[in-house]
Amino acid sequence: MLGLWPGLVERGRAQQQRNLDNFVSQPSKVSGRRLKREACTSSDLEGKNSSPVSEQDSGILDVEDEEEEEEEVPGAQELVDFSPVYRCLHIYSVLGARETFENYYRKQRRKQARLVLQPPSNMHETLDGYRKYFNQIVGFFVVEDHVLHTTPGLVDRAYLEELWDMALSKTIAALRTHSSYCSDPNLVLDLKNLIVLFADTLQGYGFPVSQLFDLLLEIRDQYSETLLKKWAGVFRNILDSDNYSPIPVVSEELYQKMVGQFPFHDAELEKQPFPKKFPFSEFVPRVYIQIKEFIYACLKFSEDLHLSSTEVDDMIRKSANLLLTRTLSNCLQNVIKRRNVGLTELVQIIINTTHLEKSCQFLEEFITNITNVLPETVHTTKLYGATTFKDARHAAEEEIYTNLNQKIDQFLQLADYDWMAVEPSAEASDYLVDLIAFLRSTFAVFTHLPEEANAYATMPVCVEAASSHQDGSCFGFHGKSAQWKECGSASESRGKEKATQDLRKEMPSRPGYSLGGP
């Protein structure tokens, strides 16, 4: 019997070696979790009787399945048969070769860790790719944590910390690279939720995860950029589909629905009978609603990042400012500069941006209500929406001025006028009558403009027309050219408003001129 003992020991050692090789080289999945940390597992854990637990059954790292995980989920020790490791460790200890086994085990697990930490090339395409990657990593460290607590000396905390430092650096590098390919804000948001769950799970096992939350702040900036691109398309669709006409309402129900969507109050309009019209077009309430939706989307990313309310408020306001000053501003400028935009559309844009500018105070209140940070706080970022809408309004006013001057130039160039008239006429030339009629019909479109915008859009045009008529002799004036020159001089000295009055007075509406020509 004693002669058989060495052979039995040798065969036992060979069998345990094979068991160890199988254990450290064939990762499988586990679905158990200890408190919150058991929410994640990996293909690194193998089920009892070598039957792996499928990811579908485990629901690991699936945020949508968390609500269904009410019952207690078995942990690693219930799902994995660790007896081969224990037997190998016991046999090598009896043989006095425990250190050999420990070195072998750690070397093989380091190799396995490097394999687990290699992300698939297409991981960024779907959320499932990220989920599987996280499952592998968590499962690996769940196994090592269990071995640490059940086999003293086989692995120690220093070994685990070394492995985790390597895993953390490689994981962050992989996530930074693959997340940069994401152009869908919904996928970026889902990825953020997975990273939070991944970090919280491993933190529950005692691993430091602050670098993962630092990474989330980087991804937050990328998320904001993807949101801005998405909302640029949303704003373009709204502006392109708008009819640039005041919104008609035929009932009190529709009226209240509109004021519920957009903060608007006009006592005079409320007194008017139905049907009646709001002064702005459809794009005003639609743009306002989308700005609020953007703010909600920004708020979603800040959840579970362990940020203070002030930090969340600052993040939302900075993103909202980018939306207003860059995205929405560019969309408005593109509409204003389009070739086929008419005066009616430009006038409506001026009216719309005036009302959107007034709504900025309500956006301030909206952000304050969801972050509980008062705007009077010292470090609170202010919204720059008013500047955006003012710039758009001024651009529209400039465009109106340019368009009207082009029309006037066309009248001057196409005038069918007898430049060689010998005898004066008591009536103005037909083309002058047409010019005044055109200006009057055009100015009628401006009646709904705010007074300041009305003056800005019309007065420069009148000054331009008055300046063109300063020298009456070039149009065949006889006897009254000095009055036209005086009118032009008054335009320069008394300002735009007086020049407009002079033009309207000195034009054919006032009798007594001796105008040559037909």
Side-chain angles (χ1 to χ4, degrees), residues 283-301:
F283 97 57
V284 170
R286 292 180 66 188
V287 165
Y288 183 80
I289 290 172
Q290 287 302 320
I291 294 174
K292 293 173 66 175
E293 289 296 326
F294 178 87
I295 293 172
Y296 274 128
C298 293
L299 181 64
K300 287 181 180 178
F301 195 92

Side-chain angles (χ1 to χ4, degrees), residues 255 259 264-272 276 278-279 355:
Y255 184 90
V259 296
F264 175 80
H265 175 72
D266 187 334
E268 293 298 326
L269 183 61
E270 290 179 357
K271 294 177 182 177
Q272 295 178 14
K276 50 190 175 183
F278 286 96
H355 287 284

Side-chain angles (χ1 to χ4, degrees), residues 476-507:
F477 287 104
H478 294 277
K480 294 294 182 180
S481 61
Q483 294 187 24
W484 284 101
K485 293 179 179 179
E486 182 181 353
C487 174
S489 176
S491 300
E492 298 177 1
S493 61
R494 286 176 287 177
K496 296 178 180 179
E497 182 174 0
K498 186 60 178 174
T500 305
Q501 296 173 357
D502 289 341
L503 176 63
R504 290 175 175 172
K505 288 179 180 179
E506 297 296 329
M507 282 292 185

Side-chain angles (χ1 to χ4, degrees), residues 346-377:
L346 290 171
V347 169
Q348 191 62 59
I349 289 174
I350 293 175
I351 295 172
N352 289 352
T353 52
T354 300
H355 287 284
L356 284 172
E357 180 185 349
K358 294 178 181 178
S359 71
C360 288
Q361 61 174 321
F362 296 98
L363 291 175
E364 289 270 10
E365 294 175 3
F366 175 71
I367 295 176
T368 298
N369 290 335
I370 63 178
T371 62
N372 294 319
V373 177
L374 297 177
E376 294 81 13
T377 305

Side-chain angles (χ1 to χ4, degrees), residues 315-514:
M315 180 197 76
I316 291 176
R317 289 176 182 273
K318 287 181 178 178
S319 297
N321 278 332
L322 286 176
L323 179 75
L324 294 171
T325 60
R326 191 175 76 185
T327 306
L328 181 56
S329 177
N330 289 340
C331 291
L332 289 172
Q333 295 291 338
N334 290 337
V335 171
I336 293 169
K337 300 298 181 181
R338 283 191 308 208
R339 286 186 177 182
N340 60 342
V341 65
L343 290 177
T344 304
E345 286 83 356
L346 290 171
V347 169
Q348 191 62 59
I349 289 174
I350 293 175
I351 295 172
N352 289 352
T353 52
T354 300
H355 287 284
L356 284 172
E357 180 185 349
K358 294 178 181 178
S359 71
C360 288
Q361 61 174 321
F362 296 98
L363 291 175
E364 289 270 10
E365 294 175 3
F366 175 71
I367 295 176
T368 298
N369 290 335
I370 63 178
T371 62
N372 294 319
V373 177
L374 297 177
E376 294 81 13
T377 305
V378 176
H379 300 292
T380 300
T381 304
K382 306 300 179 184
L383 286 184
Y384 302 135
T387 303
T388 296
F389 299 124
K390 284 180 181 177
D391 292 344
R393 185 164 62 252
H394 291 161
E397 291 166 355
E398 290 287 347
E399 199 68 20
I400 289 174
Y401 170 71
T402 301
N403 289 351
L404 288 179
N405 279 339
Q406 290 175 351
K407 291 291 185 181
I408 292 175
D409 290 341
Q410 291 174 7
F411 271 103
L412 294 174
Q413 294 170 5
L414 301 176
D416 185 13
Y417 194 84
D418 184 3
W419 301 100
M420 303 302 294
V422 177
E423 296 181 359
S425 173
E427 297 181 356
S429 302
D430 290 340
Y431 109 90
L432 284 176
V433 175
D434 292 341
L435 176 58
I436 298 303
F438 165 75
L439 290 176
R440 285 176 176 169
S441 63
T442 301
F443 291 163
V445 180
F446 302 154
T447 54
H448 297 295
L449 281 177
E451 183 176 352
E452 182 181 353
N454 193 336
Y456 188 89
T458 58
M459 288 183 182
V461 176
C462 294
V463 171
E464 183 74 16
S467 180
S468 300
H469 293 79
Q470 284 183 19
D471 189 355
S473 61
C474 69
F475 296 103
F477 287 104
H478 294 277
K480 294 294 182 180
S481 61
Q483 294 187 24
W484 284 101
K485 293 179 179 179
E486 182 181 353
C487 174
S489 176
S491 300
E492 298 177 1
S493 61
R494 286 176 287 177
K496 296 178 180 179
E497 182 174 0
K498 186 60 178 174
T500 305
Q501 296 173 357
D502 289 341
L503 176 63
R504 290 175 175 172
K505 288 179 180 179
E506 297 296 329
M507 282 292 185
S509 60
R510 179 174 170 184
Y513 281 112
S514 176

Side-chain angles (χ1 to χ4, degrees), residues 1 126 313 487:
M1 292 292 295
T126 63
D313 183 88
C487 174

